[in-house]
Amino acid sequence: MQAIAARWLQIISVSTITFNISPELDNGEREAIALALETGEWQILLDEREARQYTSKLRFA
């Protein structure tokens, strides 16, 4: 909570997962990828290998 209060961490909800994101990924990874695509972010931290492989095809670094 201190990170949020210090404003170096934000909680942002994804509006919807409209992108063609693999349903085989966990919901958390799907939401993180959708939010990155929605906001135009090109760097994303993912802990699941399948999610990293998927995003490498989308040109995430």
Side-chain angles (χ1 to χ4, degrees):
M1 292 305 207
Q2 291 176 338
I4 295 170
R7 297 186 161 255
W8 65 265
L9 179 66
Q10 294 180 358
I11 298 174
I12 303 173
S13 298
V14 64
S15 60
T16 185
I17 301 177
T18 59
F19 304 100
N20 189 19
I21 300 172
S22 175
E24 295 177 9
L25 299 177
D26 291 336
N27 286 339
E29 277 78 20
R30 289 172 45 94
E31 289 180 13
I33 294 167
L35 183 61
L37 292 169
E38 186 177 295
T39 60
E41 291 295 328
W42 287 103
Q43 292 186 351
I44 183 171
L45 181 63
L46 299 166
D47 62 348
E48 298 289 333
R49 182 183 319 171
E50 294 84 8
R52 291 192 306 269
Q53 290 172 342
Y54 179 81
T55 55
S56 69
K57 297 174 189 173
L58 298 175
R59 296 178 26 172
F60 281 97

